[in-house]
C-alpha cells in the first residue's frame, strides 16, 4: 500500500524489470560492486527494486529505519563508508541526511523516493527512463555468493550500534546430508 493508500501489486517479472531499470540507474550514478548504499525507505515498494538492483550490481545494501536523526546518519555513513543513500521524502529524513552530509565525507550520491528535492536524484522518474535489460556483470564486476551483500546496524543498546555484515549466503537455505535425513 502506498502512502496514499493505493495498493500496488508486482509480479516476479515486474520486480525483475524494475530492479533491472534500477540497477542501470544506479550504475549511471556511479554505484558499483562493493559500494555501500543506505536504504531508508520505510515500507515503500521501491525498497524491493533498490535492494534487488544492489545485489545485481554487487553493491552492499544497508537497510535502515526512518527514525534516524542527523547524528545517527553521521555515525552510520562514517562507520560503514556509505557512498550513496536512497531515502523516502517523508518524515523529515531528507533534512536529517542533508544536515549529516557535511560530516560524512564518503557520501557522494543521494536519491529520493516519492518526491523531489534540490541536490537529490529523483528515483521514481529516473528509473522509468532506464532500460529493463541489465546484463550480468562479468570479470572483476561478477557478483559471487561470498561477496559482502548486506550490512545491518545492531540496536546499540549498550553503546553505538555495531555492524553485522553478511555475504550472499545470508538469504540461502543450506542443506547438509544430516538435514536431508531429518
Amino acid at each position: 500500500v502506498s502512502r496514499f493508500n493505493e495498493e500496488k501489486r508486482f509480479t516476479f517479472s515486474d520486480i525483475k524489470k524494475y530492479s533491472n531499470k534500477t540497477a542501470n540507474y544506479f550504475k549511471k550514478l556511479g554505484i558499483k560492486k562493493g559500494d555501500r548504499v543506505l536504504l531508508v525507505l520505510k515500507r515503500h515498494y521501491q525498497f524491493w527494486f533498490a535492494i534487488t538492483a544492489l545485489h545485481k550490481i554487487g553493491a552492499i545494501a544497508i537497510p535502515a529505519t526512518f527514525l534516524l536523526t542527523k547524528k545517527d546518519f553521521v555515525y552510520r555513513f562514517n562507520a560503514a563508508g556509505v557512498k550513496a543513500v536512497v531515502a523516502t521524502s517523508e518524515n523529515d529524513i531528507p533534512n536529517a541526511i542533508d544536515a549529516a552530509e557535511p560530516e560524512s565525507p564518503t557520501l557522494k550520491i543521494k536519491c529520493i523516493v516519492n518526491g523531489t528535492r534540490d541536490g537529490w536524484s529523483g528515483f521514481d522518474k529516473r528509473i522509468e527512463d532506464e532500460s529493463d535489460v541489465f546484463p550480468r556483470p562479468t570479470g572483476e564486476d561478477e557478483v559471487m555468493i561470498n561477496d559482502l551483500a548486506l550490512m545491518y546496524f545492531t540496536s546499540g543498546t549498550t553503546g553505538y550500534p555495531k555492524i553485522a555484515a553478511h555475504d550472499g549466503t545470508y538469504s540461502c537455505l543450506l542443506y547438509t546430508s544430516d538435514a536431508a535425513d531429518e
Side-chain angles (χ1 to χ4, degrees):
V1 178
S2 76
R3 66 184 175 153
F4 303 111
N5 292 326
E6 177 186 326
E7 183 176 355
K8 301 226 182 235
R9 291 179 181 253
F10 298 98
T11 65
F12 286 107
S13 180
D14 294 333
I15 297 294
K16 177 184 178 183
K17 172 185 172 181
Y18 284 103
S19 66
N20 282 348
K21 287 172 158 285
T22 303
N24 286 319
Y25 162 58
F26 285 163
K27 292 283 279 186
K28 281 187 180 171
L29 289 174
I31 297 170
K32 61 187 182 319
K33 181 178 180 178
D35 287 341
R36 285 119 191 255
V37 181
L38 193 76
L39 302 174
V40 191
L41 293 173
K42 295 180 72 174
R43 293 179 62 168
H44 299 319
Y45 65 87
Q46 295 94 331
F47 172 84
W48 297 106
F49 302 164
I51 197 166
T52 306
L54 293 171
H55 291 327
K56 288 178 179 187
I57 294 169
I60 302 155
I62 308 170
T65 177
F66 67 93
L67 300 173
L68 300 178
T69 64
K70 173 198 171 198
K71 79 174 176 65
D72 298 321
F73 283 116
V74 169
Y75 173 73
R76 282 163 176 76
F77 291 155
N78 292 320
V82 171
K83 178 177 184 176
V85 62
V86 182
T88 179
S89 60
E90 299 174 9
N91 297 91
D92 208 36
I93 292 300
N95 287 333
I97 292 168
D98 282 343
E101 188 175 13
E103 299 174 52
S104 310
T106 61
L107 182 62
K108 306 293 181 206
I109 300 163
K110 298 181 298 184
C111 305
I112 196 163
V113 169
N114 293 337
T116 60
R117 186 176 177 97
D118 287 343
W120 292 66
S121 178
F123 181 95
D124 302 294
K125 170 68 174 115
R126 294 283 308 274
I127 67 167
E128 288 301 327
D129 296 336
E130 296 297 334
S131 169
D132 63 359
V133 175
F134 183 75
R136 181 178 296 247
T138 58
E140 65 184 33
D141 291 332
E142 184 175 6
V143 179
M144 306 300 286
I145 194 135
N146 60 344
D147 290 337
L148 195 56
L150 283 165
M151 295 171 86
Y152 294 103
F153 279 87
T154 63
S155 63
T157 54
T158 60
Y160 281 108
K162 300 193 179 35
I163 297 171
H166 300 281
D167 64 18
T169 63
Y170 179 68
S171 61
C172 297
L173 294 176
L174 301 177
Y175 295 95
T176 66
S177 59
D178 294 337
D181 294 335
E182 294 178 2

